[in-house]
């Protein structure tokens, strides 16, 4: 790491991340983002289990029930299509927090709807929010880890999704005993926990630097290094990777 003409150590974001290694900061980012994958697969499995229950409750035809399920998938894909753009515009962490708040709100409203049209509408909005969250959650975790470890992060995401799918199948067994609305409301509570966690997480230093917020990015990089027990120079200059 070469000092610049002002005697300050110059680091790119990638160099800073490589220097920090894998420690508590990276584990926190990956764990929080893995929770999003867990919740999304839980939600997807729950949709499939709920389909016959909703079909019976509102006397839907097979075509109508298929249309309802298709609307949830289309909504999720639509959210995913714009999620990356939203994350690049307002930041990964802000995108996740905004999406979680919107998702919780839409789920609460949907569970209090007693007509299929309104329930399907607000449930689709809930899926759009999840679609927006997913790219930012993945990017936030991957950008905090050294390049050599990023494939392991993807593996963790995969297993987290599998765990969410299994948990969704288990939860589905309780719909008959407690009522599907109450169980679905209970399943929403992990979203509140995720909201609290992401509220206290730091933003992506890479995104901050791209948006011209160099000082904020440098503060976050110093935190990453200190938390992982790495030496931090009193003064250093953070530059874009392309520089």
């Amino acid at each position: 790491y070469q000092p610049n003409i002002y005697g300050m150590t110059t680091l790119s974001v990638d160099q800073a991340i490589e220097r920090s290694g894998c420690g508590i900061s990276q584990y926190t980012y990956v764990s929080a983002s893995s929770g999003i994958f867990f919740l999304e697969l839980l939600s997807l499995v729950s949709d499939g289990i709920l389909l016959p229950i909703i079909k019976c409750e509102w006397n839907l035809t097979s075509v109508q029930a298929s249309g309802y399920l298709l609307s949830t998938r289309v909504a999720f894909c639509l959210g995913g299509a714009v999620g990356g753009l939203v994350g690049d515009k307002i930041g990964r962490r802000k995108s996740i927090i905004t999406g979680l708040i919107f998702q919780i709100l839409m789920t609460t409203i949907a569970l209090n709807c007693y007509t299929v049209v309104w329930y399907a509408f607000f449930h689709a909005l809930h899926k759009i929010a999840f679609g927006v969250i997913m790219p930012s959650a993945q990017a936030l975790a991957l950008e905090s880890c050294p390049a050599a470890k990023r494939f392991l992060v993807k593996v963790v995401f995969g297993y987290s999704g599998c765990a969410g799918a299994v948990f969704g199948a288990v939860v589905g067994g309780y719909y008959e005993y407690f009522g599907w609305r109450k169980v679905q409301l209970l399943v929403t509570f992990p979203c509140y926990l995720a909201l609290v966690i992401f509220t206290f997480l730091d933003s992506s230093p890479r995104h901050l630097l791209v948006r011209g917020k160099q000082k904020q990015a440098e503060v976050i990089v110093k935190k990453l290094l200190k938390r992982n027990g790495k030496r931090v120079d009193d003064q250093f200059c953070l530059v874009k990777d392309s520089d």
Side-chain angles (χ1 to χ4, degrees):
Y1 311 111
Q2 298 295 328
N4 61 18
I5 59 175
Y6 302 105
M8 300 172 65
T9 301
T10 300
L11 293 174
S12 69
V13 176
D14 274 343
Q15 287 174 332
I17 295 300
E18 293 293 333
R19 186 173 177 180
S20 70
C22 283
I24 187 171
S25 295
Q26 284 71 27
Y27 298 147
T28 302
Y29 280 116
V30 174
S31 298
S33 297
S34 296
I36 298 298
F37 281 79
F38 177 92
L39 291 172
E40 176 50 31
L41 267 295
L42 166 62
S43 177
L44 287 174
V45 171
S46 297
D47 285 342
I49 297 174
L50 275 175
L51 186 61
I53 299 175
I54 292 174
K55 182 179 178 181
C56 292
E57 180 167 327
W58 281 303
N59 297 317
L60 302 179
T61 65
S62 296
V63 174
Q64 290 172 329
S66 298
Y68 157 76
L69 190 60
L70 178 62
S71 70
T72 64
R73 300 299 186 262
V74 171
F76 178 74
C77 292
L78 179 61
V82 301
L85 298 176
V86 174
D88 288 340
K89 183 67 176 179
I90 68 174
R92 290 39 166 139
R93 189 177 68 94
K94 288 183 179 179
S95 177
I96 296 170
I97 292 173
T98 303
L100 282 171
I101 292 174
F102 188 74
Q103 184 268 334
I104 291 171
L105 180 61
M106 292 302 102
T107 300
T108 304
I109 295 175
L111 292 176
N112 285 280
C113 292
Y114 291 89
T115 59
V116 65
V117 173
W118 285 114
Y119 175 79
F121 174 74
F122 287 109
H123 189 64
L125 293 179
H126 146 86
K127 286 297 180 182
I128 290 176
F130 251 135
V132 170
I133 292 170
M134 295 291 283
S136 292
Q138 181 172 266
L140 185 62
L142 291 174
E143 290 177 358
S144 70
C145 296
K149 302 296 184 181
R150 288 172 187 169
F151 80 97
L152 290 176
V153 176
K154 300 286 285 186
V155 172
V156 172
F157 287 163
Y159 279 109
S160 298
C162 291
V166 172
F167 187 72
V170 173
V171 168
Y174 292 92
Y175 289 145
E176 182 180 353
Y177 300 100
F178 299 104
W180 67 272
R181 293 178 188 273
K182 291 181 180 179
V183 177
Q184 281 291 92
L185 186 62
L186 182 63
V187 170
T188 305
F189 280 109
C191 294
Y192 289 94
L193 177 61
L195 179 60
V196 173
I197 293 173
F198 278 103
T199 299
F200 290 98
L201 280 182
D202 292 317
S203 300
S204 167
R206 188 188 304 279
H207 177 265
L208 290 173
L209 194 60
V210 169
R211 304 299 293 182
K213 300 178 180 180
Q214 182 176 348
K215 295 299 181 182
Q216 295 181 34
E218 289 174 354
V219 169
I220 292 174
V221 168
K222 285 183 179 180
K223 288 182 181 180
L224 291 176
L225 292 168
K226 287 181 178 180
R227 287 170 184 166
N228 290 353
K230 304 297 182 179
R231 183 179 61 84
V232 182
D233 296 332
D234 293 334
Q235 290 186 331
F236 75 94
C237 178
L238 197 63
V239 297
K240 296 180 182 179
D241 293 318
S242 58
D243 293 344

